[in-house]
Amino acid sequence: MKAIMNHLNFEFKSVLRDKTLLLMYYLFPLIFYFMMAAIMPSVYADFSKGMVPGMIVFTIIVSSLLGMPNPMVLNKEKGIYRSYKIYGVPLKSVFIIPVITTMIHITVVSFIILVSSSALFGAALPQNILSFFGVYAVVLFAFTGLGALIAVCSPNGRLTVLLAQLVFLPSMMLGGVMMPSSVLSKAVQKASMLLPTTYATNALNAVYSGQQALFSLQGSLYILILGGSIAYALAAYLFTWDSRSSNALRNLGGLAVLIPYILGILLL
Amino acid sequence: MEPIVQVAGFTKVYGSSRVVDSISFEIFPGEIFALLGPNGAGKTTTLECLEGIRKASEGKLLVSGLCPEKDFQKMRKVLGVQLQASALPDIITVEEAMNMFCLYLGTETRYDLLERFDLKSKYKTEFCKLSTGQQRKLILAISLAHHPKLLILDEPTAGLDVNTRVELHQIMREERAKGTAILLASHDMSEVEDLADRVAILVKGKIVAAGTPNEIITSGDSKVRIHVKTQKNSLFDMQFGEMPITKDTEGYGIFDTEDIEGAVSQILSHIKSNEDKLLDLRVERPSLEDRFINITRSGGLQ
């Protein structure tokens, strides 16, 4: 346990020491949040209503998909995980510690957003703080699972960015982060349900505002929990200690993570 | 004495290619055993299977009585490894790295080893800011932290300056003296000739020669090379029976012979009878490198 805690401490500090990670985990989400909070209300009057859930989901996406996978893939490529294996670091440490540290950093930034949005921009606090944190935990679970799966399936840094952008860019446009999904056409709304972001913003917006969700809140949570569980299970199954042992065909099995979101399109 | 490493009929197959083909050897405590071979001969594959990071296709591999594949975690306690390209996170400091791996290996942080390897002033230095030699020393210090029975070193001194190499050789000798068995893979023949107690040469996945460095050297043709330089170059005017003479760029006559005594006396009497003057005479024994080249060029058929 002492070894794991020590490793966790190192991983936590490594984000603060690495300029790229510091940018992805802290500067990018916070600067984006402050800019959006300052500019968007003059463009779109109702923006501040969904600002906090939107910016928290944005933080989770950036850190989980753009921040977390790349160092994991680099560790695999450079043979660092191979060294870890040889020097007795267990799989659970290699796999879980980056996820836990990412969750901690995301939570720090989310807390800053939550507190400052109320103090600086007059945003309301969540209607039910416990429900909000419960849904927040589910969203965090789903996205970090997806990030871990991208890290495991990606053979190199370039493909990692590409895979992460495949989720990140449509999420920004269609997932309800920048504007509510309700302004999209019915067909686009349905298509956007292939993205976990749509379920995340739907659920977080509902518990934050205390208003009716755009579509089933409970259904959204089930889909996110199922999506996260499948992502973690696939990531653990497909994990390899070095990129030489990675099998591209086998990694295509990672696409199974889409199953719950396809079910969401059909059922919700 | 019980061997630390037992390899019997070990074979590794990738697809249709037999990378290692039924090799057998043993390594005993306090012994440096070198595995030599050209690139692609199967050295690294053999090491990786002994380390437990690859599975053997056939045969028996035991390290201190443990199976590398099945007893992977238990084996960490008896095995120290320095990989050919051992890597640590760029931003981990020397102290953090030693502390982290010592905790995982269940031993106290070995500051004494960092001191022994001249890394005391580098405790707070990040791995990426260390020189290649310092990085190797750190990895070696981590590998030795838990007093392993077997130390596997894959090209430990490649790309290092002379002083660091000498220092690492000294560390290897100290570890051997403590009873640690060392399995060394290297392309540096002088290093192997100097350090190894026994050597096995792998060619195309098979052991084609094994023994002490001296046994390997003397197992081939036993010719020595005599280099002679005289004032009047009279040697090149004469025939020396069946002993051919060649001339090198510095004007030395070169003789390859099995009979040193006969050849030297023949050369000296020729010089005397031709009123020439001997400037230099050197007798050179073939090195492990010469023998290795002969063996590998012939595909191990010698």
Side-chain angles (χ1 to χ4, degrees), chain B:
Chain B
M1 197 192 297
E2 278 289 302
I4 292 285
V5 175
Q6 289 173 278
V7 176
F10 162 59
T11 299
K12 179 69 186 176
V13 179
Y14 287 119
S16 58
S17 160
R18 285 175 93 82
V19 179
V20 182
D21 192 357
S22 192
I23 65 167
S24 303
F25 61 88
E26 288 180 335
I27 307 175
F28 294 89
E31 179 182 44
I32 299 181
F33 184 90
L35 210 49
L36 303 180
N39 290 334
K43 301 185 300 291
T44 300
T45 303
T46 304
L47 299 189
E48 287 179 343
C49 289
L50 276 171
E51 290 155 10
I53 57 176
R54 302 225 178 270
K55 290 178 187 173
S57 306
E58 287 168 33
K60 183 176 86 171
L61 293 171
L62 288 177
V63 176
S64 195
L66 299 167
C67 169
E69 197 187 317
K70 289 177 191 156
D71 305 310
F72 186 84
Q73 280 306 330
K74 276 188 201 165
M75 227 181 68
R76 300 305 103 196
K77 305 280 180 195
V78 295
L79 181 66
V81 180
Q82 185 186 40
L83 296 170
Q84 198 171 344
S86 281
L88 294 179
D90 281 350
I91 53 165
I92 198 165
T93 65
V94 169
E95 190 179 20
E96 281 171 341
M98 183 52 103
N99 194 22
M100 182 163 103
F101 293 112
C102 281
L103 281 169
Y104 276 119
L105 291 166
T107 183
E108 82 279 14
T109 306
R110 295 290 305 276
Y111 289 104
D112 58 315
L113 278 176
L114 294 179
E115 225 165 294
R116 165 71 187 85
F117 290 3
D118 289 331
L119 292 169
K120 195 179 177 186
S121 60
K122 302 284 176 187
Y123 280 1
K124 303 292 174 200
T125 307
E126 292 175 353
F127 186 70
C128 62
K129 290 177 185 157
L130 297 173
S131 68
T132 311
Q134 288 166 337
Q135 289 183 347
R136 295 269 173 86
K137 282 184 190 174
L138 174 60
I139 299 278
L140 190 56
I142 291 167
S143 310
L144 290 169
H146 57 303
H147 307 286
K149 289 181 181 172
L150 172 68
L151 183 61
I152 294 181
L153 305 174
D154 195 357
E155 301 287 350
T157 57
L160 297 184
D161 63 60
V162 179
N163 289 335
T164 314
R165 277 181 53 194
V166 169
E167 219 175 318
L168 288 182
H169 289 171
Q170 184 53 34
I171 290 163
M172 285 184 229
R173 286 194 189 93
E174 285 172 18
E175 284 306 310
R176 172 173 59 187
K178 287 180 199 164
T180 311
I182 298 176
L183 174 52
L184 169 71
S186 177
H187 283 297
D188 184 340
M189 296 298 146
S190 62
E191 174 176 272
V192 171
E193 199 172 340
D194 188 30
L195 285 172
D197 299 300
R198 283 192 303 131
V199 173
I201 298 179
L202 267 176
V203 176
K204 292 175 187 164
K206 291 185 184 223
I207 292 180
V208 293
T212 64
N214 203 38
E215 282 169 351
I216 302 255
I217 291 165
T218 54
S219 65
D221 75 37
S222 50
K223 280 183 178 164
V224 293
R225 179 162 282 192
I226 303 172
H227 301 250
V228 192
K229 190 168 188 177
T230 64
Q231 202 166 45
K232 294 180 185 170
N233 290 325
S234 67
L235 292 170
F236 302 109
D237 305 332
M238 296 296 291
Q239 286 295 317
F240 290 88
E242 288 179 6
M243 190 166 69
I245 176 170
T246 50
K247 189 178 179 180
D248 76 1
T249 52
E250 292 173 31
Y252 278 82
I254 296 167
F255 304 89
D256 288 316
T257 179
E258 289 183 12
D259 176 15
I260 308 173
E261 196 182 340
V264 170
S265 74
Q266 212 178 339
I267 291 164
L268 292 176
S269 69
H270 176 85
I271 292 168
K272 196 175 179 184
S273 63
N274 283 277
E275 294 179 345
D276 200 350
K277 191 182 173 190
L278 181 66
L279 296 178
D280 191 13
L281 187 146
R282 279 183 280 128
V283 179
E284 198 178 81
R285 207 175 69 113
S287 64
L288 184 63
E289 185 165 342
D290 296 326
R291 187 71 191 118
F292 176 80
I293 291 168
N294 285 340
I295 291 171
T296 51
R297 279 194 182 153
S298 66
L301 296 174
Q302 288 192 12

Side-chain angles (χ1 to χ4, degrees), chain A residues 2-8 10-11 13-15 17-18 75 78-91 93-94 97 242 244-245, chain B residues 44 48 51-54 72-73 76 79-83 85-93 96 99-101 103-105 126 139-140 142-143:
Chain A
K2 201 177 167 192
I4 290 173
M5 290 311 290
N6 177 273
H7 192 171
L8 188 71
F10 163 70
E11 282 283 340
K13 283 192 286 189
S14 71
V15 170
R17 282 186 207 161
D18 186 313
N75 284 348
K78 284 176 158 180
I80 292 170
Y81 282 163
R82 207 152 151 262
S83 299
Y84 276 10
K85 185 180 183 186
I86 279 169
Y87 301 131
V89 180
L91 174 62
S93 294
V94 169
I97 286 173
D242 60 57
R244 285 189 300 168
S245 318
Chain B
T44 300
E48 287 179 343
E51 290 155 10
I53 57 176
R54 302 225 178 270
F72 186 84
Q73 280 306 330
R76 300 305 103 196
L79 181 66
V81 180
Q82 185 186 40
L83 296 170
S86 281
L88 294 179
D90 281 350
I91 53 165
I92 198 165
T93 65
E96 281 171 341
N99 194 22
M100 182 163 103
F101 293 112
L103 281 169
Y104 276 119
L105 291 166
E126 292 175 353
I139 299 278
L140 190 56
I142 291 167
S143 310

